[in-house]
Amino acid sequence: MFSIASCKRRKFNTNILYTFINKLDLDPNLILNHPNLPSVLSYGTLAAQKLSEVLLSKSAKFQKMR
């Protein structure tokens, strides 16, 4: 599922992360190579993805009942 809002949220998360790295003088290699980075960058988009998964599964169940 493609969402403009999700793309904007990921871009915002990326920008704020780089702002924190620069302002707090952090080591970018430690942060950008961390295994949890994708979940940090997609923060705020997960609810929409989970909701779409639930709706798709309910839709599939409804189609089977017909």
Side-chain angles (χ1 to χ4, degrees), residues 5-63:
S6 292
C7 291
K8 288 180 179 181
R9 173 55 75 175
R10 280 190 209 97
K11 184 66 175 171
F12 172 79
N13 290 346
T14 302
N15 288 339
I16 198 77
L17 178 66
Y18 281 110
T19 300
F20 287 152
I21 290 170
N22 290 330
K23 297 283 184 186
L24 299 174
D25 197 27
L26 301 172
D27 182 11
N29 290 327
L30 291 176
I31 295 169
L32 298 176
N33 291 323
H34 196 279
N36 289 335
L37 181 65
S39 66
V40 170
L41 295 179
S42 65
Y43 180 79
T45 63
L46 295 177
Q49 291 173 356
K50 295 284 186 191
L51 179 61
S52 68
E53 290 172 7
V54 168
L55 292 175
L56 287 174
S57 69
K58 287 187 178 191
S59 174
K61 288 179 185 177
F62 179 74
Q63 292 296 328

